[in-house]
Amino acid sequence: MIILKNYFLSQNKLLWLLPIAMLLLSFYIHYEMVMNYQIDFFRHTNGQTREGILNAELSIYKTNLFMSLLVFISQVVFVILSLNIGLLLFGYGRPFKELSGLVIKSSPVLILIYFVSPTILFLSNDFFSFDALYRIESDFTLLRYVEKDSSVWLKNLLEMFSLTQLLFVLFLSLGFQYLMNWTYKKSLLWISKTYGILFMLWMSFAVIMDLNFYQ
């Protein structure tokens, strides 16, 4: 626990780069794993056909990389803003930089799924493709419990409820405990309320957008 406390309270700005570095590393592993497999698997296929297949795979990869970066950065920014607003409303004055650093240092938990999914795909002995790889992530959300032909807005809604989000709240609460000198129970309760309100607002916005574009 002392190591975690030193990690959260460290003033080393290089730690702020850790989440993005982890995210890029995980997607580099994805690329090497799937593309090398695909190149080897289709090595005897007609050149034009092979190029079409590889380009299609590469397109899926680039889309997921861009969307993952966008969602990750958006979530970190929204959590930083919500914590600052919440503390101001309840009269707890903390520097914006401290809270920003706390959220950023907690965010690597959100990226762990990107390291876990290649291992799961490898152990499954399934055909290696980016589509199969990125479907694994949905197994850690409530999306796995809906039918494939369900509405897009419902799928996107249930995909928000993930094990990753739960772990993020627990880890963020631990850092908040050290920063505020609270008990973990008090920190967890406060973070859960603040994060819950933010999550509901984001969820409502996402559902409205899906209903407008996918109705």
Side-chain angles (χ1 to χ4, degrees), residues 24-46:
L24 294 178
L25 174 61
S26 66
F27 272 83
Y28 173 75
I29 294 173
H30 297 176
Y31 179 87
E32 290 294 319
M33 176 183 181
V34 174
M35 292 304 290
N36 287 337
Y37 177 89
Q38 294 262 345
I39 291 172
D40 182 65
F41 188 85
F42 294 107
R43 65 183 182 278
H44 299 306
T45 307
N46 173 271

Side-chain angles (χ1 to χ4, degrees), residues 106-203:
S106 302
S107 63
V109 176
L110 297 169
I111 300 168
L112 292 179
I113 183 61
Y114 299 124
F115 287 98
V116 173
S117 52
T119 304
I120 295 176
L121 181 61
F122 178 78
L123 295 176
S124 69
N125 293 319
D126 288 338
F127 181 79
F128 289 4
S129 69
F130 288 120
D131 185 57
L133 178 64
Y134 297 130
R135 276 204 312 269
I136 292 174
E137 187 178 352
S138 65
D139 290 338
F140 292 84
T141 72
L142 295 182
L143 182 61
R144 63 187 301 178
Y145 299 110
V146 300
E147 300 294 334
K148 291 183 178 180
D149 58 350
S150 299
S151 302
V152 174
W153 70 266
L154 178 59
K155 290 181 179 179
N156 290 343
L157 173 63
L158 294 179
E159 195 172 19
M160 297 179 189
F161 295 91
S162 66
L163 177 62
T164 302
Q165 298 297 325
L166 175 60
L167 293 176
F168 177 59
V169 169
L170 295 175
F171 199 57
L172 179 60
S173 299
L174 181 62
F176 205 69
Q177 172 193 359
Y178 296 137
L179 182 65
M180 302 299 293
N181 290 316
W182 289 351
T183 63
Y184 183 73
K185 181 179 180 180
K186 180 179 180 180
S187 176
L188 178 60
L189 182 61
W190 199 90
I191 290 294
S192 298
K193 288 180 179 179
T194 306
Y195 190 83
I197 294 173
L198 170 69
F199 184 80
M200 293 298 293
L201 290 174
W202 174 258
M203 185 174 63

Side-chain angles (χ1 to χ4, degrees), residues 7 15-24 26-27 64-80 100 102-114 137 164-165 168 195 198 202:
Y7 168 72
L15 292 176
W16 289 37
L17 301 176
L18 179 62
I20 294 296
M22 288 179 60
L23 184 61
L24 294 178
S26 66
F27 272 83
N64 277 275
L65 174 58
F66 173 76
M67 291 304 298
S68 296
L69 275 170
L70 180 62
V71 170
F72 173 76
I73 293 173
S74 298
Q75 182 169 358
V76 169
V77 170
F78 281 128
V79 173
I80 289 173
S100 299
L102 176 65
V103 175
I104 293 172
K105 291 173 188 175
S106 302
S107 63
V109 176
L110 297 169
I111 300 168
L112 292 179
I113 183 61
Y114 299 124
E137 187 178 352
T164 302
Q165 298 297 325
F168 177 59
Y195 190 83
L198 170 69
W202 174 258

